[in-house]
Amino acid sequence: MENKKRYLIIGICAIIGAIIGATSAWYTWTSTNTDVTVTIGGVTVTYEAGDDITDVSLRPVSTKEVGVTNNYAIKKDITVSSNKTTYFNLYLNAELFPAGLKDASLKWELYEGSTLLNSGNFANTVQGDTITLLKNAEINSITRSLSLYIWIDGNMANPSSMQNQNYKFVLNAGATDK
């Protein structure tokens, strides 16, 4: 009987420890995805869930929307606002970009609502490159909501070299009132 009590107490402690550990792990993971807000020359830029892009397992998908839904593609929301007429630029830096990802099937598109503003692919990208997503976009006492998508187009040939590659992109912005 004494052994049954001991096992029962050990079992209860293990369950409580697992619950606390799982809750702590969830909190730690979600707390790293905070918005980053930067003010540049009168323009305020907010990157939803931070300015770096590293946490999605990219896989070939039929559409970027399907990829975002299944967490196999990236959707990064960006809000830009200004209290005066300003022109801003938006950049994507390829801080960690292995040669295996250098392919035309790895694509990006930048939208404002349902309007496509710019698009491209990573066929000619090398680590350290800066990609201009938007150049001299005017903002005048309004807020603009942009969405950047990055995905592997499964409707194209995808080389096996794209598998299991680590990457890191960082969003940057610039602004001027001239």
Side-chain angles (χ1 to χ4, degrees):
M1 189 67 159
E2 188 66 34
N3 281 340
K4 287 184 179 180
K5 286 182 181 177
R6 187 178 323 173
Y7 290 127
L8 180 63
I9 291 171
I10 290 172
I12 291 171
C13 289
I15 291 170
I16 291 171
I19 291 170
I20 290 171
T23 304
S24 174
W26 179 80
Y27 177 76
T28 302
W29 177 79
T30 58
S31 67
T32 60
N33 283 331
T34 57
D35 293 353
V36 171
T37 300
V38 180
T39 301
I40 309 159
V43 173
T44 302
V45 181
T46 301
Y47 304 110
E48 182 181 291
D51 58 354
D52 68 319
I53 301 171
T54 58
D55 60 346
V56 174
S57 297
L58 295 173
R59 295 183 188 172
V61 292
S62 57
T63 66
K64 65 184 173 297
E65 294 83 6
V66 168
V68 169
T69 300
N70 294 320
N71 202 30
Y72 299 145
I74 297 161
K75 180 185 180 205
K76 184 66 94 168
D77 291 322
I78 306 157
T79 305
V80 184
S81 61
S82 178
N83 56 7
K84 61 182 180 178
T85 300
T86 310
Y87 302 91
F88 70 96
N89 303 318
L90 190 61
Y91 306 103
L92 184 66
N93 295 334
E95 286 198 0
L96 175 62
F97 193 80
L101 289 177
K102 187 177 179 176
D103 193 79
S105 65
L106 181 56
K107 297 180 175 186
W108 63 269
E109 290 181 347
L110 183 68
Y111 284 85
E112 183 169 20
S114 61
T115 303
L116 178 64
L117 300 177
N118 199 0
S119 63
N121 63 55
F122 295 91
N124 297 313
T125 303
V126 296
Q127 186 165 305
D129 278 358
T130 298
I131 299 162
T132 301
L133 303 174
L134 202 55
K135 186 151 182 82
N136 294 326
E138 183 177 338
I139 187 163
N140 185 7
S141 300
I142 58 168
T143 297
R144 294 181 71 174
S145 298
L146 310 173
S147 295
L148 172 65
Y149 294 87
I150 300 174
W151 79 101
I152 298 174
D153 188 345
N155 301 307
M156 301 175 66
N158 309 119
S160 61
S161 63
M162 296 181 85
Q163 294 178 0
N164 302 317
Q165 297 293 324
N166 293 319
Y167 62 93
K168 181 178 181 180
F169 298 114
V170 177
L171 289 163
N172 288 300
T176 181
D177 58 1
K178 300 181 186 219

